[in-house]
Amino acid sequence: MSRAAAVALDSGELPLGGGLLALLRPALELLAPGGVVALRSSSAGVRHDLPSWCRVERHAYLACEPQADGSDVHFIGRGSFGVPDATDGDAGDADPHTGFAPRGARVERGGPRYPFTLHRRDAVPPAQTTRQLYDQAIAAQWDAARDIPWDRVRPLSPAVERAVGQVMTFLAENELSALYVPSKFVARLHPAYAETAMFLATQMMDESRHIDVFLRRARAGGGQLGVSSVTTSRSLLSLLQLEDFTEAAFLLSVLGEGTFLDLLRYIERFAPDEVTAEIARRTRADESRHVHFGVLHVRHALGCEAALARRLEETVRRRAATLHGIGGVPAPIQDALTILAAGSDAPSAVARGHEAFRELLSEMHAGRLKRLVHAGFTAEQAQLLSELHTPNFM
Amino acid sequence: MSESILLGAVAYDPKVVTIWEGIREYFRAEGVDFDFALFSNYERQVDTLLAGHIDIAWNTPLGHVRVQRRTEGRSRSLGMRDSDRDFHAKIVVRRDAGIRTLADLPGKTLAVGSRDSTQARILPLHFLRQEGVALDRVQLLPFDTDLGKHGDTGSSELDVLRALADGRAQAGAVGDLVWINEQSAGRVDPRLVDVLYTTPGFDHCMFDALPSLAESKVKAFQRALFAMRWDQPAHRRLLELEGLREWLPPREEGYDSLRRALDETGGW
């Protein structure tokens, strides 16, 4: 062992129990096993304590060289226990034993295994793009109280007010599911992929704000909440019960929230007041970020797992089977969207509203096809998946 | 005795149950049929080993040398912790006591641990005698706590440090493990106390067995024991609790001073 290669430290008169360790331990910690620290000390007690400390900590106490000025230089070799491992950057799967250590920290081996089931690189979209979406999400946060012109709510006809209340009830119910579903996966994500957990946190924050504004709008005109249908309830339960992160991202974000983009555009277009329009505009901007992330996630996963397209198709088929026989779009939301587009309950207006609603359904289908192809499915697969999608939209 | 290996350990702390339950689980996973029995004191454990009711005793140095003496040196030593090697005891003094060398100890009060503690009583006093300290002129302040546990609990060593801190004693004897750990944890005021003397090294605990223990059991026990690894999470927890980084083969030279000390004082 070469003493010339030693890291030199001067601890002055510090006793071992009086601060010396705060100098010595970090110096040793930076060395590989066998690396040497040369510690100058003028504390006599250190002659007794340092060899004992080395024994207890499994470092090698190599020598003490008394100096002309009465001080000592102690030579200590770094022991081989407790040497932290570097955690690598973006590449590679993550080790469940590194726990909550942030990526890039040096981690001491032997820690307990954490129950992170999403610890494979393939399980999450690339860090850099996810990080960009996170930054966009943070920059785009808005305030439900301040940024919506609540003072401009004006009285509507009872039929239209009831329709708005029903639409808002439906939106809030679906957004509650969009809050809960990602939350299931945050605690399963290995912190090496923290960008994904952080993005999901913004998604959950967005959904919270959406739930808030939808419920506020439902009540703002003095109206009440509408009906929650069993179709919606069944559809959302089938989302909540998903246990695979990619399947959930696919059904929730690509198909569900994707379809909601067209729904929110429709609501903005036919909004009976500025408040409703602004709510639809702002929530759609947030939702489009979630859809973007979902498409990114699924496209990445399709590139990593050859059998994934087939698996996702089966998931969609299974879900369609559980919803089989319940007919089309739940009646309460279908009627409310028709009245909203009609702008009144006059029969001639309702005919126009009904036509607008039918157009919405084909726009939703066309939008889904576009997003599915963008995510990496063939036109044929996209056609099938879109047709099997839930009549509940989400 | 059955094929199962039955080990005796002294329950000096509730964690002893956790340690040996964990080691039993590990041994069984390694295919070693293993169980343990807990004793309240080392004297009973040594008697039980010698009577052939247990296969192996996890012994303090005092237990170890007594087993060797009572088997006339024929007992088998199976292994020890890395931390059992090169133990030292310290004589710690108050800085205001005017004790510069060991020759200043006569006339002063020396706090010492339990009379069956190797590191805080038996060996520090033995080495002081060897250094020529007139112990008959040193006032001993003994803390005979947890007798039968041979100093395992460390409580008498903490009593010694407290007596030094509050001035009931000017000097005190402790093992280096307690001394370093208390300092590392910031529980020692370095302005108040300092080390005066470090004893020569000695070894600590040992797995003892009778010479009649089946070779297959010896091999199975050692194979599983020495395969425990610090960087394995499941092993590490047990090793931490038992105070070691790795198990090592036995060695005997570290117990000579203890035998001499017991000879001198009739402490057998």
Side-chain angles (χ1 to χ4, degrees):
Chain A
M1 196 170 296
S2 165
R3 288 198 191 148
V7 172
L9 276 184
D10 190 340
S11 63
E13 294 180 353
L14 290 174
L16 183 106
L20 178 146
L21 292 177
L23 298 176
L24 178 57
R25 280 190 292 226
L28 285 166
E29 199 264 313
L30 288 174
L31 295 175
V36 176
V37 167
L39 176 78
R40 179 186 289 271
S41 164
S42 22
S43 163
V46 167
R47 285 182 200 168
H48 291 281
D49 287 342
L50 209 45
S52 296
W53 182 80
C54 288
R55 185 185 88 82
V56 171
E57 296 298 329
R58 277 59 162 192
H59 296 302
Y61 184 81
L62 302 172
C64 173
E65 289 181 359
Q67 306 295 299
D69 63 359
S71 68
D72 300 309
V73 175
H74 303 274
F75 292 89
I76 300 138
R78 166 68 152 117
S80 58
F81 290 99
V83 181
D85 289 332
T87 48
D88 58 12
D90 289 352
D93 297 339
D95 178 355
H97 290 97
T98 62
F100 284 119
R103 191 173 63 216
R106 289 173 306 127
V107 181
E108 199 183 333
R109 244 187 257 173
R113 185 187 173 93
Y114 276 59
F116 301 129
T117 50
L118 296 167
H119 58 86
R120 296 178 58 84
R121 176 73 264 184
D122 291 356
V124 297
Q128 200 186 345
T129 331
T130 306
R131 174 75 212 193
Q132 285 165 1
L133 281 173
Y134 171 78
D135 290 340
Q136 285 173 21
I138 292 303
Q141 294 295 299
W142 46 277
D143 183 327
R146 200 187 53 212
D147 296 329
I148 303 294
W150 294 108
D151 55 345
R152 300 202 195 153
V153 172
R154 60 180 178 81
L156 303 172
S157 71
V160 175
E161 187 60 53
R162 217 171 25 247
V164 169
Q166 177 60 55
V167 169
M168 294 297 147
T169 303
F170 175 80
L171 292 174
E173 183 172 13
N174 281 276
E175 293 292 72
L176 273 159
S177 80
L179 167 65
Y180 279 53
V181 170
S183 77
K184 275 180 69 166
F185 298 100
V186 169
R188 302 182 191 180
L189 273 163
H190 193 290
Y193 313 127
E195 293 83 2
T196 298
M198 288 158 68
F199 180 81
L200 292 179
T202 68
Q203 189 170 342
M204 290 160 62
M205 189 58 235
D206 291 343
E207 306 301 6
S208 307
R209 193 173 48 242
H210 298 178
I211 294 158
D212 184 21
V213 291
F214 293 147
L215 293 177
R216 280 195 202 202
R217 175 61 194 91
R219 295 184 175 111
Q224 294 178 338
L225 297 193
V227 172
S228 162
S229 72
V230 169
T231 302
T232 296
S233 183
R234 281 207 186 111
S235 182
L236 298 184
L237 178 61
S238 66
L239 262 189
L240 185 66
Q241 285 173 328
L242 292 171
E243 294 299 331
D244 180 88
F245 185 36
T246 306
E247 289 174 17
F250 181 60
L251 288 187
L252 176 72
S253 296
V254 178
L255 291 175
E257 293 182 294
T259 302
F260 258 51
L261 293 182
D262 294 309
L263 176 63
L264 290 165
R265 191 180 294 108
Y266 177 96
I267 294 168
E268 185 185 351
R269 179 175 160 206
F270 294 112
D273 57 30
E274 197 183 337
V275 172
T276 307
E278 184 63 6
I279 287 173
R281 190 186 68 78
R282 284 186 175 272
T283 53
R284 186 162 57 83
D286 292 339
E287 293 294 315
S288 67
R289 218 166 32 242
H290 309 168
V291 174
H292 190 151
F293 182 70
V295 168
L296 181 76
H297 180 163
V298 170
R299 196 168 54 200
H300 169 79
L302 284 170
C304 297
E305 184 190 333
L308 180 63
R310 189 61 197 266
R311 182 154 68 82
L312 293 177
E313 185 185 315
E314 279 164 15
T315 308
V316 171
R317 280 183 187 283
R318 261 201 312 278
R319 188 181 188 211
T322 66
L323 302 174
H324 184 70
I326 55 174
V329 176
I333 185 64
Q334 184 173 344
D335 299 341
L337 290 171
T338 301
I339 296 297
L340 195 71
S344 84
D345 53 1
S348 59
V350 171
R352 280 197 314 275
H354 184 66
E355 196 48 41
F357 175 72
R358 281 167 38 81
E359 278 170 26
L360 170 64
L361 296 184
S362 25
E363 280 162 20
M364 285 173 161
H365 177 60
R368 278 197 297 270
L369 292 182
K370 208 172 66 184
R371 282 183 288 274
L372 286 165
V373 169
H374 187 49
F377 292 94
T378 64
E380 200 177 321
Q381 287 170 323
Q383 183 71 27
L384 175 77
L385 290 169
S386 179
E387 280 169 3
L388 287 170
H389 185 56
T390 170
N392 184 61
F393 306 149
M394 182 70 85
Chain B
M1 200 164 278
S2 74
E3 273 312 294
S4 175
I5 297 171
L6 182 59
L7 177 138
V10 167
Y12 64 87
D13 186 279
K15 74 175 181 181
V16 172
V17 176
T18 310
I19 293 168
W20 291 104
E21 293 270 6
I23 291 182
R24 178 174 62 187
E25 186 184 335
Y26 159 70
F27 268 54
R28 287 181 176 177
E30 289 287 302
V32 180
D33 190 0
F34 179 88
D35 205 352
F36 64 93
L38 295 181
F39 293 84
S40 71
N41 62 82
Y42 282 99
E43 285 68 32
R44 178 78 65 195
Q45 174 166 292
V46 166
D47 287 345
T48 307
L49 175 72
L50 294 171
H53 298 314
I54 56 175
D55 292 306
I56 297 167
W58 179 222
N59 268 334
T60 53
L62 191 55
H64 173 59
V65 296
R66 282 174 173 165
V67 167
Q68 288 188 317
R69 184 177 170 98
R70 290 170 66 181
T71 58
E72 295 170 335
R74 290 180 301 111
S75 68
R76 296 190 65 167
S77 304
L78 303 185
M80 63 204 304
R81 303 172 298 185
D82 56 351
S83 50
D84 288 315
R85 295 190 174 186
D86 303 313
F87 224 87
H88 295 73
K90 304 279 182 186
I91 301 298
V92 180
V93 295
R94 285 183 64 91
R95 289 181 187 273
D96 62 8
I99 303 171
R100 300 279 168 263
T101 69
L102 291 177
D104 298 326
L105 280 176
K108 301 292 195 298
T109 299
L110 173 68
V112 291
S114 302
R115 63 174 173 272
D116 59 8
S117 168
T118 306
Q119 66 271 19
R121 179 85 160 257
I122 300 171
L123 283 180
L125 292 183
H126 165 72
F127 287 119
L128 287 179
R129 270 191 298 274
Q130 295 236 307
E131 295 283 349
V133 175
L135 286 180
D136 53 344
R137 290 171 46 220
V138 174
Q139 177 72 40
L140 291 189
L141 174 61
F143 292 97
D144 277 318
T145 52
D146 297 326
L147 287 171
K149 306 287 197 294
H150 295 189
D152 273 358
T153 63
S155 69
S156 69
E157 290 168 81
L158 298 180
D159 287 336
V160 166
L161 291 177
R162 271 191 288 274
L164 274 169
D166 64 24
R168 279 175 290 155
Q170 288 87 50
V174 290
D176 62 358
L177 186 64
V178 164
W179 172 239
I180 292 298
N181 285 343
E182 288 300 293
Q183 285 191 90
S184 298
R187 289 191 290 260
V188 171
D189 184 350
R191 294 164 304 179
L192 209 61
V193 291
D194 195 13
V195 180
L196 175 71
Y197 170 69
T198 301
T199 67
F202 52 92
D203 285 356
H204 217 261
C205 298
M206 181 68 83
F207 289 110
D208 287 312
L210 293 186
S212 54
L213 183 64
E215 193 58 29
S216 58
K217 288 187 179 183
V218 171
K219 286 216 155 38
F221 178 77
Q222 289 182 324
R223 176 180 59 77
L225 190 75
F226 295 144
M228 294 183 82
R229 291 286 173 265
W230 180 249
D231 56 11
Q232 291 265 331
H235 301 176
R236 175 163 171 156
R237 188 71 198 113
L238 301 170
L239 299 176
E240 280 172 349
L241 286 170
E242 185 54 35
L244 72 154
R245 303 286 204 284
E246 60 182 337
W247 296 105
L248 294 176
R251 67 175 194 185
E252 298 301 340
E253 60 269 30
Y255 300 92
D256 291 343
S257 55
L258 179 57
R259 291 188 197 93
R260 283 197 302 275
L262 296 174
D263 286 340
E264 282 168 14
T265 58
W268 288 104

